[in-house]
Amino acid sequence: MEQKKFDPNSIIGFALIFGILIWIMYQNQPDPVAIAAEKAQKELVIKEAQAKELNDKVVAQATEAVATTGDSTQLANLEKKLGNFAYSATLPSAKEGFTTIENELVKLKIANKGGYIVEATLKNYERFNKGSGELVALIKDNNANLNVQLITSDNRTLNTKDLFFEPNLTKVGSDQVLSMRLKAGANEYLEYKYVLKADDYMLDFVIHSKGLNKVLNSSKPLNLEWDLKSYTNEKSISYENRYAELYYEHEEGKSDYLGLGNDEVETVTDVSYIAYKQHFFTSILLSDVPFTKAEIFSNNLVKDEQIDSVYTKQFKAIVPLAFINGEIDQKMNWYYGPTDYTLLKKYDRNLEDIVALGWGIFGWINRHAFIPMYGFLSMFIQHGWAIILFTILVKLLMSPITYKSFLSQAKMKVLRPEIMELGEKFKKDPMKKQQETMKLYNKAGVNPMAGCIPGLMQAPIFYALFQFFPSAIGLRQQGFLWADDLSSFDSIYELPFHIPFYGSHISLFPILASIAIFFYMKMTTGDQQMATPTQEGMPDMAKMMKIMIYVSPLMMLFFFNSYASGLSLYYFVSNTITIGIMLIIKNYIIDSDKIHNEIQENKKKEPKKQGKFQRKLQEVMEQAEAQKALDKKKK
């Protein structure tokens, strides 16, 4: 065994690297002057924000006073602050009031102050648990704001969220039409127009102005600001937060999303919609004519799951509203509803892209195979049984691939003694051993890659299903056996403490899935070790696989403890079925003696023509062997 020697060059190298790191740290020390300037700038921003807040409060109080008492002094003071928009303070609607519009699906509450939706409640969905009695509210308790920043011709900056609108509710057929007007005169106003149809989560929304071409400075667009803090609506905060994201569509139908980290900011162009997704529910702002640009922001509010249990993410968007002939006329839509792929697709506006089904081939499999298949099954049977039947169908479709994999392993197992013999014969010449092994494979008509290909073919199915179940809103609050919600964890025991990466509960389906994975790997690992001998110079795969037998189930246990129990149910059933298929193939279909005889017959025949991959590999080996011989001659 060769002993390690002291290498002075390594010591010198490490010393140089250490010296460079120290120099870099010294050079990158923050400049005290820059720090002081940054601190002063932050203090200035805070003071300006406080002054603005105080001013808005004074304006609101003055508006209330004018509306209730008609005080002329207060009105004069208000005109100094608001200019033409002081007119809105003289109206009876200039007080805290609300107007409600609703259908069978959604209930919306719009405030006089600000003119925007302050409550959006989904009537057919409950928070956390079925029977909780608390409906899912996407907007409530001031978690959302909509504001248009108005720049007047006399250089005032006003915010619509601080001003009072005049409501007017009418019906056109089965549609409810609510007009909210911020008035600068009898016939001069900025209008928010909401149109809610029957049995629809989508409502029309228009921002329109009339007679404000001389009141507002139209030299640059108005900024529309929309922000929302998303409420937790599911049992598992970490699981829900993982799927809470800001999506948007831009550049002719391309959908994308903002990162999941802290203070993610981006500016995008030609934006058709902006969606604040809360896993199973979504708030979406759509525009008929794409916004020229949008500044979007996302921040993770869950720092500690034990404490931060009210909100998951904070979202914000700023988009410009362009003037046309001195007026605003922006036609848009709001969507407040479930993140349901089938429902969103019906709107034909690419909204279904916000459902996380995976990219490329994975998304294609989900959209065109798994969603229709599972949707059909769940129409007739309970969701738990639908998952089991769905799993059986998927495994039956994959059984030919499983058979090919086992057949390849069986052939390699038959050849193992001869491969071991070659290994012993050419123990001192690894390259020669590889060449002779490849010749043996070719002569016997065995492809060593055949065992890998079925596994690679199954990978897209595995990943597609991993994306499918967390996005299936149909599983939400659907019970099966001991699980009361297949879209969340199936707790059977609450722990009196919290285990990092595991949680404070014990879920049963992940335990069953882990046991099934353990026995599956125990069976397959033994066959793989028998089929594939260790190659010299390569890692000992047998030892690695023995470790993975225990590591994989443990990872499953920890990783899926707070995941959807429907996904764990699928993996439990899937691996159990696979074990059964393996036993049937191994004991009743594959005949080792017959395979051995076929291989011996193949050896007597002319070797099959090598494939491109095998031929190229053979050429590389021969070139390496020739180079090795040349190097020996030079020595």
Side-chain angles (χ1 to χ4, degrees), residues 72-186:
S72 58
T73 304
Q74 290 280 11
L75 180 59
N77 290 334
L78 202 57
E79 286 177 344
K80 291 179 182 178
K81 298 283 186 182
L82 302 180
N84 293 47
F85 288 101
Y87 180 84
S88 62
T90 66
L91 304 175
S93 56
K95 59 184 178 181
E96 295 290 347
F98 306 93
T99 306
T100 300
I101 55 176
E102 60 184 309
N103 56 24
E104 295 299 315
L105 304 175
V106 63
K107 179 180 179 181
L108 304 172
K109 189 176 179 181
I110 297 91
N112 288 1
K113 187 176 182 180
Y116 60 90
I117 297 171
V118 292
E119 285 186 17
T121 306
L122 306 184
K123 293 185 173 182
N124 298 325
Y125 294 94
E126 293 179 285
R127 293 185 75 196
F128 305 126
N129 299 297
K130 195 171 186 178
S132 67
E134 185 180 359
L135 296 177
V136 169
L138 301 184
I139 301 176
K140 68 173 184 176
D141 299 336
N142 300 314
N143 74 313
N145 280 301
L146 182 74
N147 178 58
V148 177
Q149 194 174 73
L150 305 174
I151 310 297
T152 65
S153 55
D154 54 358
N155 295 322
R156 289 186 176 88
T157 300
L158 305 174
N159 292 295
T160 58
K161 67 179 181 179
D162 302 320
L163 305 176
F164 286 96
F165 287 65
E166 182 181 52
N168 181 33
L169 179 62
T170 57
K171 283 198 83 172
V172 179
S174 60
D175 298 347
Q176 298 171 64
V177 181
L178 175 61
S179 169
M180 303 292 294
R181 291 181 177 178
L182 172 62
K183 291 192 170 183

Side-chain angles (χ1 to χ4, degrees), residues 427-462:
K427 182 165 53 176
K428 295 182 179 180
D429 193 346
M431 187 64 69
K432 185 69 175 175
K433 184 181 76 171
Q434 290 283 0
Q435 289 177 338
E436 293 300 320
T437 302
M438 292 301 294
K439 287 179 182 177
L440 174 64
Y441 288 150
N442 189 43
K443 195 174 180 181
V446 174
N447 183 359
M449 297 298 293
C452 302
I453 293 171
L456 291 174
M457 291 178 66
Q458 292 184 68
I461 303 295
F462 176 86

Side-chain angles (χ1 to χ4, degrees), residues 241-253:
N241 196 36
R242 187 177 291 112
Y243 294 95
E245 299 175 276
L246 190 156
Y247 279 82
Y248 58 92
E249 183 188 63
H250 65 119
E251 296 178 2
E252 299 179 357

Side-chain angles (χ1 to χ4, degrees), residues 68 115 122 184 186 204 216 250 301 336 360 366 424 481 530 553 569 598 619 626:
T68 54
L122 306 184
D204 298 338
L216 297 178
H250 65 119
L301 299 178
Y336 295 105
N366 277 324
E424 189 64 31
L481 300 178
M530 288 292 292
L569 171 62
E598 286 178 357
E619 289 173 3

